[in-house]
PDB file of all heavy atoms in Angstrom:
ATOM      1  N   GLY V   1      79.650 112.697  78.623  1.00 92.00           N
ATOM      2  CA  GLY V   1      80.996 112.814  78.205  1.00 92.00           C
ATOM      3  C   GLY V   1      81.747 113.976  78.935  1.00 92.00           C
ATOM      4  O   GLY V   1      82.890 113.799  79.376  1.00 92.00           O
ATOM      5  N   ALA V   2      81.131 115.128  79.074  1.00 94.00           N
ATOM      6  CA  ALA V   2      81.753 116.242  79.776  1.00 94.00           C
ATOM      7  C   ALA V   2      82.023 115.896  81.219  1.00 94.00           C
ATOM      8  O   ALA V   2      83.132 116.166  81.759  1.00 94.00           O
ATOM      9  CB  ALA V   2      80.867 117.503  79.715  1.00 94.00           C
ATOM     10  N   ALA V   3      81.077 115.290  81.924  1.00 95.00           N
ATOM     11  CA  ALA V   3      81.264 114.901  83.268  1.00 95.00           C
ATOM     12  C   ALA V   3      82.309 113.849  83.494  1.00 95.00           C
ATOM     13  O   ALA V   3      83.144 113.891  84.372  1.00 95.00           O
ATOM     14  CB  ALA V   3      79.925 114.383  83.928  1.00 95.00           C
ATOM     15  N   CYS V   4      82.347 112.840  82.599  1.00 94.00           N
ATOM     16  CA  CYS V   4      83.263 111.749  82.714  1.00 94.00           C
ATOM     17  C   CYS V   4      84.722 112.171  82.386  1.00 94.00           C
ATOM     18  O   CYS V   4      85.673 111.760  83.080  1.00 94.00           O
ATOM     19  CB  CYS V   4      82.873 110.569  81.886  1.00 94.00           C
ATOM     20  SG  CYS V   4      81.371 109.759  82.396  1.00 94.00           S
ATOM     21  N   LEU V   5      84.870 113.011  81.351  1.00 91.00           N
ATOM     22  CA  LEU V   5      86.217 113.519  81.032  1.00 91.00           C
ATOM     23  C   LEU V   5      86.791 114.357  82.170  1.00 91.00           C
ATOM     24  O   LEU V   5      87.989 114.178  82.528  1.00 91.00           O
ATOM     25  CB  LEU V   5      86.183 114.307  79.734  1.00 91.00           C
ATOM     26  CG  LEU V   5      85.953 113.510  78.442  1.00 91.00           C
ATOM     27  CD1 LEU V   5      85.736 114.506  77.284  1.00 91.00           C
ATOM     28  CD2 LEU V   5      87.148 112.632  78.180  1.00 91.00           C
ATOM     29  N   LEU V   6      86.026 115.217  82.731  1.00 94.00           N
ATOM     30  CA  LEU V   6      86.486 116.052  83.871  1.00 94.00           C
ATOM     31  C   LEU V   6      86.712 115.183  85.086  1.00 94.00           C
ATOM     32  O   LEU V   6      87.738 115.340  85.780  1.00 94.00           O
ATOM     33  CB  LEU V   6      85.448 117.153  84.169  1.00 94.00           C
ATOM     34  CG  LEU V   6      85.801 118.066  85.339  1.00 94.00           C
ATOM     35  CD1 LEU V   6      87.163 118.758  85.108  1.00 94.00           C
ATOM     36  CD2 LEU V   6      84.707 119.096  85.592  1.00 94.00           C
ATOM     37  N   GLY V   7      85.799 114.239  85.370  1.00 94.00           N
ATOM     38  CA  GLY V   7      86.012 113.319  86.467  1.00 94.00           C
ATOM     39  C   GLY V   7      87.218 112.463  86.376  1.00 94.00           C
ATOM     40  O   GLY V   7      87.971 112.217  87.368  1.00 94.00           O
ATOM     41  N   ALA V   8      87.531 111.924  85.169  1.00 92.00           N
ATOM     42  CA  ALA V   8      88.713 111.161  84.995  1.00 92.00           C
ATOM     43  C   ALA V   8      89.961 111.934  85.223  1.00 92.00           C
ATOM     44  O   ALA V   8      90.963 111.427  85.774  1.00 92.00           O
ATOM     45  CB  ALA V   8      88.714 110.541  83.577  1.00 92.00           C
ATOM     46  N   GLN V   9      89.981 113.199  84.758  1.00 93.00           N
ATOM     47  CA  GLN V   9      91.189 114.037  85.011  1.00 93.00           C
ATOM     48  C   GLN V   9      91.341 114.314  86.451  1.00 93.00           C
ATOM     49  O   GLN V   9      92.521 114.324  86.967  1.00 93.00           O
ATOM     50  CB  GLN V   9      91.004 115.331  84.270  1.00 93.00           C
ATOM     51  CG  GLN V   9      92.265 116.208  84.219  1.00 93.00           C
ATOM     52  CD  GLN V   9      93.439 115.569  83.567  1.00 93.00           C
ATOM     53  OE1 GLN V   9      93.444 115.361  82.363  1.00 93.00           O
ATOM     54  NE2 GLN V   9      94.459 115.150  84.336  1.00 93.00           N
ATOM     55  N   ILE V  10      90.280 114.523  87.193  1.00 94.00           N
ATOM     56  CA  ILE V  10      90.440 114.770  88.679  1.00 94.00           C
ATOM     57  C   ILE V  10      90.898 113.504  89.373  1.00 94.00           C
ATOM     58  O   ILE V  10      91.847 113.581  90.244  1.00 94.00           O
ATOM     59  CB  ILE V  10      89.097 115.216  89.244  1.00 94.00           C
ATOM     60  CG1 ILE V  10      88.717 116.615  88.672  1.00 94.00           C
ATOM     61  CG2 ILE V  10      89.132 115.283  90.803  1.00 94.00           C
ATOM     62  CD1 ILE V  10      87.361 117.127  89.101  1.00 94.00           C
ATOM     63  N   VAL V  11      90.419 112.373  88.996  1.00 92.00           N
ATOM     64  CA  VAL V  11      90.901 111.071  89.580  1.00 92.00           C
ATOM     65  C   VAL V  11      92.352 110.945  89.281  1.00 92.00           C
ATOM     66  O   VAL V  11      93.128 110.437  90.232  1.00 92.00           O
ATOM     67  CB  VAL V  11      90.046 109.876  89.057  1.00 92.00           C
ATOM     68  CG1 VAL V  11      90.709 108.571  89.476  1.00 92.00           C
ATOM     69  CG2 VAL V  11      88.640 109.973  89.591  1.00 92.00           C
ATOM     70  N   ASP V  12      92.800 111.216  88.073  1.00 91.00           N
ATOM     71  CA  ASP V  12      94.227 111.011  87.727  1.00 91.00           C
ATOM     72  C   ASP V  12      95.089 111.953  88.613  1.00 91.00           C
ATOM     73  O   ASP V  12      96.191 111.539  89.052  1.00 91.00           O
ATOM     74  CB  ASP V  12      94.425 111.376  86.265  1.00 91.00           C
ATOM     75  CG  ASP V  12      93.906 110.295  85.316  1.00 91.00           C
ATOM     76  OD1 ASP V  12      93.539 109.204  85.833  1.00 91.00           O
ATOM     77  OD2 ASP V  12      93.766 110.546  84.108  1.00 91.00           O
ATOM     78  N   VAL V  13      94.658 113.191  88.818  1.00 92.00           N
ATOM     79  CA  VAL V  13      95.420 114.095  89.646  1.00 92.00           C
ATOM     80  C   VAL V  13      95.518 113.621  91.070  1.00 92.00           C
ATOM     81  O   VAL V  13      96.563 113.637  91.688  1.00 92.00           O
ATOM     82  CB  VAL V  13      94.807 115.533  89.551  1.00 92.00           C
ATOM     83  CG1 VAL V  13      95.404 116.422  90.627  1.00 92.00           C
ATOM     84  CG2 VAL V  13      95.033 116.137  88.166  1.00 92.00           C
ATOM     85  N   VAL V  14      94.383 113.147  91.603  1.00 91.00           N
ATOM     86  CA  VAL V  14      94.408 112.686  93.017  1.00 91.00           C
ATOM     87  C   VAL V  14      95.267 111.448  93.148  1.00 91.00           C
ATOM     88  O   VAL V  14      96.095 111.349  94.105  1.00 91.00           O
ATOM     89  CB  VAL V  14      92.928 112.338  93.485  1.00 91.00           C
ATOM     90  CG1 VAL V  14      92.912 111.646  94.837  1.00 91.00           C
ATOM     91  CG2 VAL V  14      92.091 113.589  93.487  1.00 91.00           C
ATOM     92  N   LYS V  15      95.157 110.524  92.201  1.00 88.00           N
ATOM     93  CA  LYS V  15      95.991 109.333  92.332  1.00 88.00           C
ATOM     94  C   LYS V  15      97.471 109.649  92.129  1.00 88.00           C
ATOM     95  O   LYS V  15      98.332 109.085  92.810  1.00 88.00           O
ATOM     96  CB  LYS V  15      95.531 108.310  91.243  1.00 88.00           C
ATOM     97  CG  LYS V  15      94.154 107.709  91.507  1.00 88.00           C
ATOM     98  CD  LYS V  15      94.182 106.882  92.747  1.00 88.00           C
ATOM     99  CE  LYS V  15      92.802 106.223  92.990  1.00 88.00           C
ATOM    100  NZ  LYS V  15      92.772 105.366  94.237  1.00 88.00           N
ATOM    101  N   ALA V  16      97.771 110.531  91.186  1.00 87.00           N
ATOM    102  CA  ALA V  16      99.189 110.931  90.997  1.00 87.00           C
ATOM    103  C   ALA V  16      99.772 111.635  92.164  1.00 87.00           C
ATOM    104  O   ALA V  16     100.943 111.411  92.542  1.00 87.00           O
ATOM    105  CB  ALA V  16      99.283 111.893  89.766  1.00 87.00           C
ATOM    106  N   HIS V  17      98.966 112.487  92.833  1.00 86.00           N
ATOM    107  CA  HIS V  17      99.467 113.171  94.052  1.00 86.00           C
ATOM    108  C   HIS V  17      99.756 112.179  95.145  1.00 86.00           C
ATOM    109  O   HIS V  17     100.798 112.229  95.892  1.00 86.00           O
ATOM    110  CB  HIS V  17      98.391 114.142  94.493  1.00 86.00           C
ATOM    111  CG  HIS V  17      98.798 114.901  95.741  1.00 86.00           C
ATOM    112  ND1 HIS V  17      99.733 115.966  95.694  1.00 86.00           N
ATOM    113  CD2 HIS V  17      98.443 114.781  97.058  1.00 86.00           C
ATOM    114  CE1 HIS V  17      99.946 116.444  96.898  1.00 86.00           C
ATOM    115  NE2 HIS V  17      99.126 115.725  97.771  1.00 86.00           N
ATOM    116  N   ALA V  18      98.834 111.137  95.368  1.00 84.00           N
ATOM    117  CA  ALA V  18      99.028 110.118  96.341  1.00 84.00           C
ATOM    118  C   ALA V  18     100.250 109.310  96.019  1.00 84.00           C
ATOM    119  O   ALA V  18     101.055 108.918  96.877  1.00 84.00           O
ATOM    120  CB  ALA V  18      97.812 109.252  96.457  1.00 84.00           C
ATOM    121  N   PHE V  19     100.539 108.982  94.746  1.00 83.00           N
ATOM    122  CA  PHE V  19     101.669 108.212  94.364  1.00 83.00           C
ATOM    123  C   PHE V  19     102.979 108.913  94.616  1.00 83.00           C
ATOM    124  O   PHE V  19     103.927 108.361  95.158  1.00 83.00           O
ATOM    125  CB  PHE V  19     101.518 107.802  92.907  1.00 83.00           C
ATOM    126  CG  PHE V  19     102.801 107.172  92.333  1.00 83.00           C
ATOM    127  CD1 PHE V  19     103.018 105.818  92.546  1.00 83.00           C
ATOM    128  CD2 PHE V  19     103.743 107.939  91.591  1.00 83.00           C
ATOM    129  CE1 PHE V  19     104.187 105.281  92.053  1.00 83.00           C
ATOM    130  CE2 PHE V  19     104.849 107.330  91.097  1.00 83.00           C
ATOM    131  CZ  PHE V  19     105.096 105.980  91.323  1.00 83.00           C
ATOM    132  N   VAL V  20     103.018 110.214  94.237  1.00 82.00           N
ATOM    133  CA  VAL V  20     104.287 110.957  94.401  1.00 82.00           C
ATOM    134  C   VAL V  20     104.587 111.114  95.863  1.00 82.00           C
ATOM    135  O   VAL V  20     105.789 111.091  96.289  1.00 82.00           O
ATOM    136  CB  VAL V  20     104.159 112.317  93.697  1.00 82.00           C
ATOM    137  CG1 VAL V  20     105.322 113.218  94.053  1.00 82.00           C
ATOM    138  CG2 VAL V  20     104.087 112.110  92.200  1.00 82.00           C
ATOM    139  N   ARG V  21     103.586 111.268  96.689  1.00 83.00           N
ATOM    140  CA  ARG V  21     103.812 111.517  98.120  1.00 83.00           C
ATOM    141  C   ARG V  21     104.080 110.251  98.914  1.00 83.00           C
ATOM    142  O   ARG V  21     104.892 110.218  99.843  1.00 83.00           O
ATOM    143  CB  ARG V  21     102.603 112.241  98.755  1.00 83.00           C
ATOM    144  CG  ARG V  21     102.349 113.627  98.205  1.00 83.00           C
ATOM    145  CD  ARG V  21     103.509 114.554  98.586  1.00 83.00           C
ATOM    146  NE  ARG V  21     103.307 115.909  98.080  1.00 83.00           N
ATOM    147  CZ  ARG V  21     103.653 116.292  96.930  1.00 83.00           C
ATOM    148  NH1 ARG V  21     104.218 115.453  96.069  1.00 83.00           N
ATOM    149  NH2 ARG V  21     103.395 117.568  96.492  1.00 83.00           N
ATOM    150  N   HIS V  22     103.418 109.153  98.515  1.00 75.00           N
ATOM    151  CA  HIS V  22     103.538 107.914  99.317  1.00 75.00           C
ATOM    152  C   HIS V  22     103.878 106.690  98.546  1.00 75.00           C
ATOM    153  O   HIS V  22     104.064 105.600  99.158  1.00 75.00           O
ATOM    154  CB  HIS V  22     102.233 107.689 100.105  1.00 75.00           C
ATOM    155  CG  HIS V  22     101.716 108.906 100.823  1.00 75.00           C
ATOM    156  ND1 HIS V  22     102.325 109.326 101.974  1.00 75.00           N
ATOM    157  CD2 HIS V  22     100.654 109.693 100.622  1.00 75.00           C
ATOM    158  CE1 HIS V  22     101.663 110.423 102.415  1.00 75.00           C
ATOM    159  NE2 HIS V  22     100.643 110.652 101.608  1.00 75.00           N
ATOM    160  N   GLY V  23     104.000 106.741  97.204  1.00 63.00           N
ATOM    161  CA  GLY V  23     104.257 105.555  96.417  1.00 63.00           C
ATOM    162  C   GLY V  23     105.714 105.138  96.567  1.00 63.00           C
ATOM    163  O   GLY V  23     106.594 105.950  96.822  1.00 63.00           O
ATOM    164  N   ASP V  24     105.982 103.845  96.289  1.00 65.00           N
ATOM    165  CA  ASP V  24     107.349 103.307  96.361  1.00 65.00           C
ATOM    166  C   ASP V  24     107.994 103.291  95.003  1.00 65.00           C
ATOM    167  O   ASP V  24     109.168 102.854  94.860  1.00 65.00           O
ATOM    168  CB  ASP V  24     107.315 101.954  96.945  1.00 65.00           C
ATOM    169  CG  ASP V  24     106.432 100.956  96.184  1.00 65.00           C
ATOM    170  OD1 ASP V  24     105.922 101.323  95.089  1.00 65.00           O
ATOM    171  OD2 ASP V  24     106.179  99.863  96.707  1.00 65.00           O
ATOM    172  N   GLY V  25     107.273 103.724  93.900  1.00 65.00           N
ATOM    173  CA  GLY V  25     107.882 103.774  92.555  1.00 65.00           C
ATOM    174  C   GLY V  25     107.937 102.391  91.883  1.00 65.00           C
ATOM    175  O   GLY V  25     108.466 102.372  90.733  1.00 65.00           O
ATOM    176  N   SER V  26     107.350 101.398  92.437  1.00 69.00           N
ATOM    177  CA  SER V  26     107.382 100.077  91.787  1.00 69.00           C
ATOM    178  C   SER V  26     106.227 100.010  90.756  1.00 69.00           C
ATOM    179  O   SER V  26     105.397 100.819  90.655  1.00 69.00           O
ATOM    180  CB  SER V  26     107.159  98.994  92.823  1.00 69.00           C
ATOM    181  OG  SER V  26     105.885  99.116  93.460  1.00 69.00           O
ATOM    182  N   HIS V  27     106.323  98.971  89.959  1.00 75.00           N
ATOM    183  CA  HIS V  27     105.300  98.698  88.967  1.00 75.00           C
ATOM    184  C   HIS V  27     103.961  98.523  89.579  1.00 75.00           C
ATOM    185  O   HIS V  27     102.939  99.004  88.992  1.00 75.00           O
ATOM    186  CB  HIS V  27     105.720  97.522  88.097  1.00 75.00           C
ATOM    187  CG  HIS V  27     104.700  97.119  87.074  1.00 75.00           C
ATOM    188  ND1 HIS V  27     104.493  97.887  85.902  1.00 75.00           N
ATOM    189  CD2 HIS V  27     103.737  96.142  87.051  1.00 75.00           C
ATOM    190  CE1 HIS V  27     103.494  97.340  85.211  1.00 75.00           C
ATOM    191  NE2 HIS V  27     103.027  96.272  85.874  1.00 75.00           N
ATOM    192  N   HIS V  28     103.869  97.858  90.693  1.00 75.00           N
ATOM    193  CA  HIS V  28     102.597  97.547  91.312  1.00 75.00           C
ATOM    194  C   HIS V  28     101.980  98.894  91.808  1.00 75.00           C
ATOM    195  O   HIS V  28     100.736  99.101  91.623  1.00 75.00           O
ATOM    196  CB  HIS V  28     102.785  96.673  92.537  1.00 75.00           C
ATOM    197  CG  HIS V  28     101.541  96.395  93.285  1.00 75.00           C
ATOM    198  ND1 HIS V  28     100.481  95.674  92.767  1.00 75.00           N
ATOM    199  CD2 HIS V  28     101.146  96.829  94.534  1.00 75.00           C
ATOM    200  CE1 HIS V  28      99.523  95.613  93.658  1.00 75.00           C
ATOM    201  NE2 HIS V  28      99.906  96.318  94.725  1.00 75.00           N
ATOM    202  N   ALA V  29     102.791  99.774  92.343  1.00 76.00           N
ATOM    203  CA  ALA V  29     102.248 101.104  92.785  1.00 76.00           C
ATOM    204  C   ALA V  29     101.792 101.965  91.634  1.00 76.00           C
ATOM    205  O   ALA V  29     100.771 102.601  91.721  1.00 76.00           O
ATOM    206  CB  ALA V  29     103.315 101.830  93.611  1.00 76.00           C
ATOM    207  N   VAL V  30     102.502 101.907  90.501  1.00 78.00           N
ATOM    208  CA  VAL V  30     102.142 102.684  89.367  1.00 78.00           C
ATOM    209  C   VAL V  30     100.832 102.104  88.724  1.00 78.00           C
ATOM    210  O   VAL V  30      99.911 102.856  88.362  1.00 78.00           O
ATOM    211  CB  VAL V  30     103.212 102.612  88.246  1.00 78.00           C
ATOM    212  CG1 VAL V  30     102.746 103.203  86.933  1.00 78.00           C
ATOM    213  CG2 VAL V  30     104.462 103.343  88.738  1.00 78.00           C
ATOM    214  N   ASP V  31     100.661 100.761  88.767  1.00 76.00           N
ATOM    215  CA  ASP V  31      99.454 100.155  88.224  1.00 76.00           C
ATOM    216  C   ASP V  31      98.278 100.562  89.084  1.00 76.00           C
ATOM    217  O   ASP V  31      97.179 100.769  88.529  1.00 76.00           O
ATOM    218  CB  ASP V  31      99.630  98.659  88.177  1.00 76.00           C
ATOM    219  CG  ASP V  31      98.470  97.980  87.531  1.00 76.00           C
ATOM    220  OD1 ASP V  31      98.248  98.151  86.323  1.00 76.00           O
ATOM    221  OD2 ASP V  31      97.702  97.284  88.258  1.00 76.00           O
TER     222      ASP V  31
END
């Protein structure tokens, strides 16, 4: 649980950073 909770938060941060920098803001990109 400790490893997965921390890993999920890191994945969210990486994906959010990529979306803000290169995403088009559409529903498909958010999904």
Side-chain angles (χ1 to χ4, degrees):
C4 291
L5 287 173
L6 180 58
Q9 187 62 70
I10 294 175
V11 168
D12 288 346
V13 168
V14 172
K15 292 294 184 180
H17 181 76
F19 170 81
V20 172
R21 295 296 180 271
H22 309 290
D24 56 9
S26 63
H27 176 74
H28 177 70
V30 171
D31 184 68

